[in-house]
Amino acid sequence: MTPLHRIALFTLLALFALLAAVPTSAQQAPPDPPITIDTHVDIPFTYMREPRFDAGKDTPLLVDLGKMERGGLNAAFFVIWVPQHELDAAGYAQAVDQAESKYEAIGRMLMMYPDRIRLATSPDQAVANRKAGLLSAMIGIENAYSLGHDLHRLDAAYDRGARYVGLVHVGNNDLCTSSLPDTDHGESAMNSKGDHGMTDFGRQVVARANRLGIMVDISHASDACVRDALAVSRAPLIASHSGARAVLDHPRNLPDDLLRAIAAKGGVIQAVAYKEFLKKDPGREAAEKKLQDEVARAAGDKKYDSDKHDYLPAMAAGMAKIQQRFPLPTLDDYVRQIRHMVDVAGIDHVGIASDFDGGGGITDWEDAGKTRNVAAALRRAGFSDADIAKIWGGNLLRVWREVERDARH
C-alpha cells in the first residue's frame, strides 16, 4: 500500500468514525408534520395576570410559548371555558364576566409576545404563521353558557376571534343536555328519558355559528344533543376533545355510530389525551380526590379550586406519589384510541387534542414540550407521514375551510 493509499484509507476511517459518533436520532430525525394543531388548551382565570402564568416565561403550565417552541407544537386553540352556574340572570352575568377575563388574557399574551405568537382567525393565517416561524393562537369557546343566553354575543365572540363554539360542558345548560349531568346539584343521571337533546336556543346558536363561520363543537354534549346538532347544522361538526366509547366505555366518549355520522357530514373528531377517557383507574381517581381535599384544607379553603391549588408545591409532591402508584395512560393507550377512531371514521376525520391545563396529559406527552413524541408513537403504530400530517392538523384545517366556505354561501 502506497503512502497515498494509506492517507486515503485513514481519511475514510476517520469519516466513518465521525458519522458513527453522531446520534442516530440526529442522522435520521423524521420531519415534523407541516403543521401541528392542538384543538384544546385550557387557561387559568389569572392567566397572564400572575407572573407564574406569564406564557412567555417558563411556567408551571403544561402549555407556554417555550414548551410549544421546544416541542414542535405550532398552533393551539386556547379555550374560553366557564363552569356551569344557574340558568338565571345572575348565573348568565357571572359566566359572561368570566369569559371576558379569558378573552382579555389571551389578548394580553398576543400583545406582549407578537414576535413569537400571533392570532389566527382563518386556516390561511395559521399556515402563514407557521411558514413565518411564528406560533398561532386560536380561540375556542367551551360551554356556550358563557353567551349569557344572548345570541348577539356569538357575533361578539366571532369578532374577538373565536372560531369554534362548544355547546355544553359538565351539567345541562340552556343549549342542550350534557354527557355528564351535574348530579351533585340535582340533575338526573343520564338516561334516555332525561336526554332531551338540544333546545330552541341551542338550534339558534348552531344556525348562527354556521352563518358566521364558527365551527360547532359537540364535545361534552349528550348523544341526543350530538344527533340534533348533526341534523341542524348545515356545516361539518367538530369534536374538539373526545374519545371512542368502544375502546373505553365513558359517557364523554363517542359511540361508533356517532363517529361515523360526524365523519359522514365531513367533520373531524379530535382524539383527547385525557386520562379518564383512556384508562379506567378508580384507585387513581380516589387518590386524586383525597389529595385535592387535603391540599385545599391545608390552604385554608373549604373547597378544591383547580386554578388556586393545582400549582401548589404540596399538590405537585402528592401527584408525583400518585403517579408512582397509579401511572397515567401511555401514548400507546392514546394511539390505540386513535387507531380505532381512524378505522371507524376514516383517516380524514381524526385529529389531536391534549386538554392540557384542563386535566389532560399522559405518560410521554406530559406537556407541550414533548409534542414530537406523539408523531413518533403514531409512526411506530404504522401511520405514514401523510397520515400524521392529516391527524396533526390537516383534517382540522380542511373542516375549518369548509365551515368558512359554507358561511359564504
Side-chain angles (χ1 to χ4, degrees):
M1 183 181 292
T2 67
L4 186 60
H5 286 146
R6 289 193 186 92
I7 292 172
L9 178 61
F10 289 148
T11 301
L12 283 172
L13 290 172
L15 180 60
F16 288 144
L18 181 63
L19 288 172
V22 177
T24 303
S25 60
Q27 296 178 48
Q28 302 176 350
D32 284 338
I35 189 169
T36 54
I37 301 174
D38 182 346
T39 49
H40 203 87
V41 171
D42 279 284
I43 57 174
F45 280 109
T46 54
Y47 192 66
M48 298 302 297
R49 292 178 176 82
E50 292 187 60
R52 62 178 177 157
F53 295 146
D54 181 342
K57 309 289 176 58
D58 288 332
T59 73
L61 296 167
L62 302 185
V63 179
D64 55 36
L65 304 191
K67 293 182 180 75
M68 290 179 72
E69 291 160 344
R70 292 191 298 274
L73 178 59
N74 311 136
F77 277 84
F78 293 89
V79 172
I80 308 298
W81 171 81
V82 300
Q84 187 67 36
H85 308 300
E86 295 294 329
L87 303 182
D88 58 21
Y92 294 141
Q94 182 178 1
V96 169
D97 287 345
Q98 288 179 318
E100 179 61 26
S101 73
K102 293 199 171 186
Y103 283 114
E104 290 178 356
I106 294 169
R108 186 175 290 113
M109 173 185 67
L110 294 166
M111 287 189 292
M112 289 178 65
Y113 301 106
D115 58 335
R116 298 172 72 184
I117 188 166
R118 300 278 176 86
L119 181 68
T121 58
S122 72
D124 288 347
Q125 285 181 335
V127 172
N129 287 345
R130 170 74 172 127
K131 289 179 179 177
L134 294 164
L135 303 173
S136 286
M138 290 85 81
I139 298 175
I141 297 170
E142 183 175 33
N143 198 359
Y145 172 70
S146 68
L147 299 177
H149 203 81
D150 182 347
L151 194 60
H152 295 96
R153 287 204 174 91
L154 189 62
D155 292 66
Y158 180 86
D159 291 341
R160 299 291 290 271
R163 289 300 181 267
Y164 76 66
V165 56
L167 301 177
V168 68
H169 191 247
V170 176
N172 303 330
N173 67 9
D174 51 324
L175 286 84
C176 67
T177 42
S178 170
S179 61
L180 293 172
D182 187 0
T183 54
D184 290 341
H185 293 88
E187 291 183 0
S188 300
M190 181 54 65
N191 55 55
S192 58
K193 293 181 180 179
D195 190 1
H196 62 67
M198 191 172 289
T199 66
D200 288 342
F201 181 65
R203 291 181 178 88
Q204 292 173 29
V205 169
V206 170
R208 186 60 187 160
N210 287 169
R211 287 194 292 272
L212 289 168
I214 296 178
M215 293 177 282
V216 175
D217 172 24
I218 52 77
S219 287
H220 280 287
S222 69
D223 291 356
C225 182
V226 176
R227 292 189 180 95
D228 285 346
L230 285 163
V232 172
S233 179
R234 59 182 175 83
L237 304 181
I238 70 167
S240 70
H241 60 309
S242 290
R245 198 175 299 172
V247 180
L248 188 91
D249 188 8
H250 190 291
R252 264 283 281 115
N253 288 343
L254 292 165
D256 284 358
D257 67 312
L258 290 181
L259 294 178
R260 293 189 189 97
I262 293 167
K265 200 174 182 71
V268 62
I269 307 101
Q270 302 290 114
V272 65
Y274 190 93
K275 58 199 173 193
E276 292 178 19
F277 311 151
L278 294 171
K279 175 182 177 182
K280 286 189 182 294
D281 195 343
R284 183 180 181 111
E285 189 175 344
E288 287 191 8
K289 179 65 169 63
K290 183 172 181 289
L291 176 64
Q292 290 166 359
D293 292 342
E294 290 173 350
V295 170
R297 284 197 301 271
D301 298 310
K302 294 181 179 180
K303 187 178 179 182
Y304 162 74
D305 181 330
S306 60
D307 276 10
K308 180 175 182 180
H309 301 124
D310 274 1
Y311 304 97
L312 295 176
M315 181 64 78
M319 288 298 291
K321 293 178 180 177
I322 289 173
Q323 174 64 6
Q324 290 179 344
R325 289 188 61 201
F326 306 103
L328 285 167
T330 65
L331 267 174
D332 288 340
D333 296 321
Y334 183 49
V335 171
R336 190 176 304 115
Q337 272 217 7
I338 291 174
R339 170 60 71 187
H340 177 84
M341 294 162 78
V342 167
D343 289 346
V344 172
I347 190 62
D348 296 317
H349 303 284
V350 180
I352 295 286
S354 68
D355 207 356
F356 282 147
D357 295 311
I362 54 177
T363 302
D364 292 328
W365 195 28
E366 292 91 348
D367 60 47
K370 297 183 179 181
T371 293
R372 287 189 178 90
N373 289 349
V374 180
L378 289 169
R379 286 191 184 93
R380 289 195 301 272
F383 288 94
S384 68
D385 285 351
D387 293 338
I388 293 168
K390 290 181 176 183
I391 293 170
W392 248 129
N395 291 336
L396 188 282
L397 291 179
R398 173 188 58 77
V399 173
W400 193 356
R401 287 191 173 99
E402 290 181 15
V403 170
E404 283 189 332
R405 178 203 64 199
D406 290 345
R408 293 193 293 266
H409 291 85

